[in-house]
Amino acid sequence: MRAFSLFIFLFLYLPVAVIVVFSFNAAPNMSAFTGLSLRWYAKAFSNPLAIAALTNSIVIALCSAVVSTAIGSAVAIGLMGTSRTTRIVVQSLMMLGLAVPGIVIGLASLVFFSAAFSGAEQAVAMLAGWEQAAKLFSFGRPTVIAAHSLFCTALVVEVISLRLRQLNPSWLEASNDLYAGRGETLWRVVVPFIVPAMVAGGLLSFVLSFDEFIIAFFVSGTKPTLPVYMFASVKRGATPELNAIATSMLTISILVSVVAFSFLRRGQARA
Amino acid sequence: MLQPRMARLLLLPGYALLALTLIGPLITTLVISLGRRAPSGGYETALSIENFASVLSRSTAFLNTVQLSAFGAAICILAAIPVAFFIAKHLKGSVRYTVLFLVVLPFFTSFVARTYAWYFALGGRGLPAVLEWIGLGRFRFLNTDFAVAIGIIYAYLPIAILMLFVAFDRIGDDLLEASNDLGRGKVETFFSVVIPLAMPGLISTYSLLFILLSGEYLIPMLLGGGKVYFIGNAIVDLFLQSRNWPLGSAVAISLMSMMIVVAFLSQIFQRMANRDGRIG
Amino acid sequence: MRLAPEAEGGGANAPDDRTKGQRMNDGGGTFRGVTKKFGSFTAVNDLSFEIEAGSFVSIVGPSGCGKTTTLRLIAGFEFPTVGSVFIGGSPVERMEAYERPINMVFQSYALFPHLDVFDNIAYGLRSRRNRRPAAEVKARVNEIIGKMQLSGKEHNRVWELSGGQQQRVALARAIVNNPKILILDEPMAALDKKLRRDVQFELQSLQRELGITFIMVTHDQHEALSLSDRIIVMNRGRIEQIGSPDELYNRPASRFVASFIGDFNLLELEKPAAGGTVDVAGRVLAVPQERAGEGATIAVGFRPDALKLSAAAPGAGGEAWRATITNVIYLGDKVEIKLDCPSSGTLLARADVARLAERRFRVGDTVHLTVEDSDFHHFTK
């Protein structure tokens, strides 16, 4: 069992390791490893298309993380004070947002935003008589952020609800007993208690949004995110440059994930 | 502790988000699936179920998807069981969580980059080159079912291990010790105690994997070269190439219906397994 | 009258007034016809009692008797379905917990895990409704930290403390606010047995020193007997008896109180008293004067200490029963003997080991039992 587990570990990490190693390869083609070099990184990051995609991805991931942490925290706290029915409905819808495959969310968002945009443009054209209204809205960062915020928020709600379940109800009573009203108790007891979960949820949202491919594939319009850009490039064949980009992506998501999980564990330890 | 008025206020942005990104899009998709393709592509208002009848013309994609998803999910579970059990019952303290973290970490790292890693490893200059150099002959992995299966297992193994870890972790060590004490060896205990008690977890893991796999697009596209045709590929083709939105929507709705059926069956089986596995 | 410190004009010197012996009359509590229902379940039924300012009162009873609900009604975590609650003469039954001049020590302490010891204790003094200047907070918290022997632990995380230290933080966090009433919910439940005795003494001294009304809920009758000025015995949502420990032990008002406070040998009567006497297994007892007006005696009984054993039949003066010894339990200085008596069922006797030294009782021995008439308690309920 130990040996098998080790084998699985190798299976999980070896291909990634190969990519990382070859991204530092000095050789001009990929047939053999000839020495260390950063030339492919230099090449990748002097490519304006790659830079644009990276910037795009970072901006989208940051916005998704902020939006979903804010909404998700509010929802998780709000769920503490609602009826059972409301709680079950909201939680089920959030779970649905996580469980519906990206490809369905992607195409559904595409048709929804198309319909909404053309509807809004027609309305503007009719009301304002503005001929240019047809170009008012387009797919891009906002549509990706909106679509990503769904599953990111669902994740944040889940992470924070898990934390709130460890909240001892007598802390709230103790706070009331010590002259703090409901709002003050929320601010002085509940919020500090869930801060680690909020940070972890936000960071995980960043990672998930940063790495997400299929939804962005549908709704990013003419501005690809880094995964979409990479996908388009891979279809033309593997290159050392792609190795460098893949390694950079892995590094970013691993770093942020490690920080996120350390916050999750810190939260656990204090419960 | 929260006043209902305040709770409602806090939930408001959540409702807005759900309406804008989940309910609105899904309803729109349903409406479009009942419509007609406009001559120049896109959508034209209509009310018919003929798109759902045409879904049958994509039955190859459905069959392919179901087969590979069922198979891939099964392999994932079989590979995950020993690892999850090892972590849950043989590792202690901080080592345990570090190992679990390392197993789960890939799930939170770029999907495209990881799939690309296999694309690279299975491609002409990767494994085939190594095998040819050793003298085992010429092999071709990319663009085969095998490559897609590897990619699928690789991508979803971490989540399988995590879910099974949770299922195994719930089984108290005392139960295993009691079984040992009553004369059953490790293997016998595993099959007569661990597996029955973990059955609900096994079922839910399998159904989740099946659902995740059947929505896959990237892996069959990259590692199958588009030759291994999933529903996901059909949806993307219909939307982005032939611009037949109504048929694409109908395919997507059918896919979701299939997943809902699987999730529902999984619930039923879990409940049955729970009844059997209940203790005390 | 919302908060103790404000009501007393500069809170910090309020305890000084009390220690001078001027018991402030505003720390008392009154329940008047309080009923609390949860759905169709009546947790507390028509409760009326008064608690004297500055006293140490315990509420005891079996689990589910309504003692915790009573406590929560005082603290403001529950509101009466019917009836009124007064603190220091003013009605508070519609006030929220954060508006009442009462503080509580929670059963599991409920210390805030994200705050250190100092910030936990300062929590109440920093609440918007009760906010004190930073300098005063610092002074008061530091003073209480010294008093509670927590010096040096100010900036420790609360989960790093031992159980005893956590309890002192919980106490400090409550009393630093100079409440009119301090509520303690099973304060010893989380402590190990050895520590419990020490803490009981400390708690008693603290109450004497502060002069604050203490109301403690406990399921441990020994704890209640040793600490309280008065004890409220509850059963099934009602009060069985209120009295000093001595009254409860020596003059229990009901069979329930007799059995709940200390050990008791209860003998249910087959036929109620008639004509001023009762017949207990062939022995005729006169019903005492003070019980005569309460109705027919339905049971009698006596404490284990009142039961005397002898190997030989007693002289003409005492009526005797015969019984067989089933268990002998040594408790160090005392010995408990369980007996099976054909006429009265299982009985318990307790005596000093020294007194029994000359005669070793063994399981299986048949002995004669003697109880003085005056040691019998008579019950009408």
Side-chain angles (χ1 to χ4, degrees):
Chain A
M1 198 152 48
R2 183 182 295 266
F4 183 77
S5 301
L6 201 69
F7 168 75
I8 291 293
F9 250 89
L10 284 178
F11 175 68
L12 286 178
Y13 281 93
L14 206 56
V16 173
V18 169
I19 292 289
V20 173
V21 169
F22 273 87
S23 75
F24 293 105
N25 191 359
N29 57 38
M30 297 197 291
S31 48
F33 195 85
T34 56
L36 285 174
S37 148
L38 286 175
R39 60 189 282 199
W40 304 114
Y41 287 88
K43 192 166 176 218
F45 289 104
S46 58
N47 177 348
L49 288 176
I51 291 293
L54 177 68
T55 318
N56 218 4
S57 273
I58 290 178
V59 170
I60 288 171
L62 275 177
C63 292
S64 303
V66 169
V67 168
S68 51
T69 307
I71 299 182
S73 310
V75 168
I77 293 173
L79 285 177
M80 291 168 73
T82 56
S83 66
R84 221 176 93 85
T85 325
T86 314
R87 190 163 55 237
I88 289 174
V89 169
V90 172
Q91 275 173 340
S92 311
L93 285 175
M94 288 288 173
M95 280 318 287
L96 198 64
L98 267 182
V100 174
I103 192 148
V104 175
I105 293 291
L107 83 87
S109 303
L110 175 69
V111 297
F112 175 70
F113 287 129
S114 302
F117 288 170
S118 67
E121 281 157 359
Q122 273 168 22
V124 170
M126 218 162 70
L127 290 173
W130 190 24
E131 294 299 318
Q132 301 301 307
K135 284 173 187 151
L136 260 185
F137 303 101
S138 65
F139 285 88
R141 283 177 187 171
T143 43
V144 183
I145 292 167
H148 280 185
S149 293
L150 173 64
F151 65 84
C152 290
T153 302
L155 181 86
V156 171
V157 170
E158 202 47 39
V159 169
I160 294 182
S161 297
L162 216 64
R163 177 80 175 146
L164 280 175
R165 235 167 282 162
Q166 300 171 328
L167 184 96
N168 185 344
S170 54
W171 291 333
L172 307 180
E173 290 189 344
S175 173
N176 280 170
D177 185 59
L178 295 163
Y179 314 114
R182 291 192 176 86
E184 202 180 341
T185 298
L186 196 63
W187 185 243
R188 289 175 72 192
V189 179
V190 179
V191 171
F193 184 71
I194 61 172
V195 159
M198 283 168 69
V199 174
L203 291 173
L204 288 179
S205 296
F206 178 91
V207 171
L208 286 184
S209 169
F210 184 76
D211 288 342
E212 203 284 329
F213 162 70
I214 189 75
I215 296 175
F217 185 57
F218 272 95
V219 295
S220 58
T222 53
K223 289 179 179 164
T225 60
L226 195 54
V228 175
Y229 169 79
M230 232 193 114
F231 172 75
S233 312
V234 172
K235 282 209 287 193
R236 293 193 293 269
T239 62
E241 206 181 321
L242 277 175
N243 290 347
I245 294 179
T247 305
S248 312
M249 284 184 77
L250 289 169
T251 311
I252 293 178
S253 27
I254 288 179
L255 281 183
V256 181
S257 306
V258 168
V259 178
F261 279 101
S262 77
F263 268 97
L264 268 187
R265 282 211 67 190
R266 186 191 303 182
Q268 293 283 311
R270 286 187 191 181
Chain B
M1 80 120 220
L2 214 57
Q3 268 153 342
R5 196 151 32 94
M6 186 152 175
R8 273 197 293 273
L9 203 69
L10 284 169
L11 287 177
L12 224 54
Y15 292 142
L17 181 77
L18 286 170
L20 188 71
T21 62
L22 182 70
I23 299 166
L26 288 182
I27 290 176
T28 314
T29 310
L30 193 64
V31 169
I32 286 182
S33 74
L34 299 173
R36 209 177 20 228
R37 179 182 186 271
S40 61
Y43 165 75
E44 204 173 76
T45 321
L47 192 65
S48 81
I49 55 160
E50 77 184 63
N51 289 312
F52 285 93
S54 336
V55 165
L56 291 177
S57 67
R58 310 276 156 174
S59 59
T60 330
F62 269 93
L63 213 62
N64 237 331
T65 309
V66 169
Q67 274 177 356
L68 259 175
S69 302
F71 173 75
I75 299 287
C76 264
I77 291 228
L78 287 180
I81 285 175
V83 185
F85 191 73
F86 178 71
I87 299 173
K89 292 293 165 210
H90 288 255
L91 297 182
K92 303 262 173 291
S94 65
V95 179
R96 188 168 186 242
Y97 287 100
T98 310
V99 172
L100 188 66
F101 172 71
L102 286 176
V103 167
V104 177
L105 187 61
F107 195 72
F108 284 94
T109 56
S110 173
F111 198 56
V112 177
R114 280 188 304 135
T115 308
Y116 167 73
W118 276 104
Y119 178 83
F120 181 65
L122 295 178
R125 291 181 177 122
L127 203 54
V130 175
L131 292 177
E132 196 176 348
W133 183 73
I134 299 173
L136 286 174
R138 292 179 72 87
F139 286 88
R140 184 181 164 72
F141 294 116
L142 225 47
N143 305 345
T144 62
D145 278 357
F146 173 75
V148 175
I150 287 277
I152 281 175
I153 294 163
Y154 180 70
Y156 293 101
L157 194 56
I159 192 89
I161 293 175
L162 178 66
M163 287 185 70
L164 291 183
F165 166 82
V166 173
F168 290 144
D169 192 43
R170 269 194 206 138
I171 301 169
D173 287 346
D174 52 341
L175 291 178
L176 307 189
E177 282 162 7
S179 173
N180 290 157
D181 183 59
L182 294 167
R184 297 207 174 179
K186 282 191 173 137
V187 177
E188 206 183 345
T189 297
F190 184 79
F191 285 103
S192 59
V193 177
V194 177
I195 292 292
L197 288 178
M199 197 43 91
L202 286 166
I203 294 169
S204 65
T205 308
Y206 185 85
S207 54
L208 181 79
L209 288 174
F210 183 87
I211 288 172
L212 288 174
L213 293 185
S214 53
E216 195 44 68
Y217 162 76
L218 183 72
I219 295 171
M221 195 63 207
L222 278 188
L223 300 179
K227 292 189 180 64
V228 182
Y229 206 66
F230 266 45
I231 302 174
N233 304 59
I235 292 175
V236 171
D237 285 353
L238 283 169
F239 263 84
L240 304 181
Q241 258 129 59
S242 50
R243 290 188 44 79
N244 190 342
W245 286 19
L247 182 55
S249 299
V251 172
I253 296 279
S254 309
L255 174 66
M256 262 195 78
S257 313
M258 184 181 87
M259 291 170 174
I260 290 170
V261 170
V262 170
F264 185 68
L265 287 178
S266 152
Q267 284 293 324
I268 292 177
F269 285 133
Q270 278 181 64
R271 209 157 293 162
M272 277 163 61
N274 243 333
R275 201 174 301 144
D276 295 344
R278 191 181 297 156
I279 16 164
Chain C
M1 285 304 281
R2 271 150 63 119
L3 298 172
E6 285 165 10
E8 290 158 15
N13 51 25
D16 301 339
D17 296 343
R18 293 195 178 104
T19 45
K20 281 175 202 151
Q22 298 172 302
R23 285 271 157 98
M24 312 219 18
N25 210 21
D26 62 1
T30 305
F31 266 48
R32 205 169 287 162
V34 173
T35 296
K36 174 68 189 176
K37 292 185 179 185
F38 296 103
S40 60
F41 173 70
T42 306
V44 161
N45 197 351
D46 193 22
L47 223 57
S48 294
F49 61 80
E50 293 208 9
I51 287 171
E52 196 190 326
S55 61
F56 195 135
V57 177
S58 294
I59 305 177
V60 299
S63 54
C65 70
K67 58 185 190 293
T68 300
T69 305
T70 306
L71 203 72
R72 294 172 61 82
L73 284 163
I74 301 172
F77 300 129
E78 306 288 352
F79 302 98
T81 313
V82 184
S84 338
V85 179
F86 297 86
I87 307 286
S90 35
V92 297
E93 70 269 3
R94 292 291 143 206
M95 276 189 186
E96 298 280 354
Y98 45 81
E99 297 169 323
R100 298 191 189 190
I102 293 174
N103 290 113
M104 179 154 165
V105 175
F106 287 75
Q107 184 170 357
S108 54
Y109 312 138
L111 300 178
F112 302 119
H114 60 287
L115 300 179
D116 63 16
V117 170
F118 186 97
D119 289 340
N120 259 283
I121 298 173
Y123 191 95
L125 297 175
R126 287 172 177 165
S127 289
R128 196 159 45 79
R129 285 160 214 275
N130 190 38
R131 185 165 292 151
R132 308 269 120 201
E136 186 191 331
V137 172
K138 202 169 177 204
R140 279 168 73 170
V141 173
N142 279 330
E143 186 197 330
I144 216 101
I145 280 177
K147 191 205 282 285
M148 301 307 284
Q149 296 152 37
L150 289 163
S151 302
K153 304 273 180 209
E154 289 90 340
H155 299 296
N156 281 37
R157 292 286 174 181
V158 288
W159 69 82
E160 297 167 348
L161 302 179
S162 70
Q165 288 168 337
Q166 289 188 1
Q167 198 214 29
R168 293 207 295 276
V169 175
L171 264 169
R173 186 177 71 173
I175 60 178
V176 75
N177 302 295
N178 291 323
K180 292 185 179 175
I181 297 178
L182 181 75
I183 297 178
L184 303 116
D185 185 8
E186 300 269 7
M188 315 290 174
L191 299 178
D192 59 55
K193 215 173 171 184
K194 195 173 153 10
L195 198 56
R196 233 174 263 184
R197 292 288 310 161
D198 299 339
V199 173
Q200 284 175 4
F201 288 125
E202 283 171 23
L203 213 55
Q204 201 166 34
S205 318
L206 188 70
Q207 196 265 335
R208 300 253 159 82
E209 186 191 332
L210 297 174
I212 299 176
T213 311
F214 275 33
I215 304 178
M216 176 175 80
V217 151
T218 176
H219 67 273
D220 180 349
Q221 36 112 354
H222 292 292
E223 198 168 284
L225 286 173
S226 52
L227 287 177
S228 330
D229 299 319
R230 290 180 83 72
I231 299 174
I232 300 175
V233 185
M234 290 187 68
N235 187 30
R236 294 182 185 174
R238 290 177 179 278
I239 292 178
E240 288 276 339
Q241 188 174 3
I242 303 179
S244 65
D246 173 61
E247 280 169 340
L248 292 182
Y249 192 82
N250 293 317
R251 288 194 298 285
S254 67
R255 289 171 295 168
F256 176 83
V257 174
S259 309
F260 191 78
I261 305 287
D263 295 312
F264 199 78
N265 293 306
L266 190 71
L267 310 173
E268 301 279 348
L269 297 178
E270 281 161 21
K271 49 178 193 284
T277 58
V278 283
D279 183 339
V280 186
R283 177 171 170 175
V284 177
L285 295 170
V287 175
Q289 288 285 298
E290 71 265 26
R291 293 282 179 195
E294 296 176 13
T297 302
I298 52 169
V300 297
F302 47 87
R303 294 282 173 198
D305 335 52
L307 184 59
K308 310 247 171 356
L309 313 181
S310 58
E319 189 78 20
W321 295 312
R322 288 161 64 89
T324 313
I325 295 177
T326 57
N327 303 79
V328 178
I329 304 146
Y330 283 93
L331 301 169
D333 55 337
K334 300 235 182 215
V335 61
E336 277 185 3
I337 297 173
K338 240 183 184 164
L339 303 138
D340 185 31
C341 176
S343 60
S344 314
T346 306
L347 296 174
L348 184 70
R350 189 186 297 125
D352 293 340
V353 169
R355 228 186 69 208
L356 293 169
E358 77 281 10
R359 174 83 176 85
R360 305 282 302 181
F361 289 105
R362 275 189 298 269
V363 173
D365 287 357
T366 300
V367 290
H368 293 272
L369 313 176
T370 317
V371 185
E372 299 293 329
D373 280 5
S374 59
D375 284 332
F376 274 97
H377 298 270
H378 294 248
F379 300 109
T380 55
K381 58 180 181 184

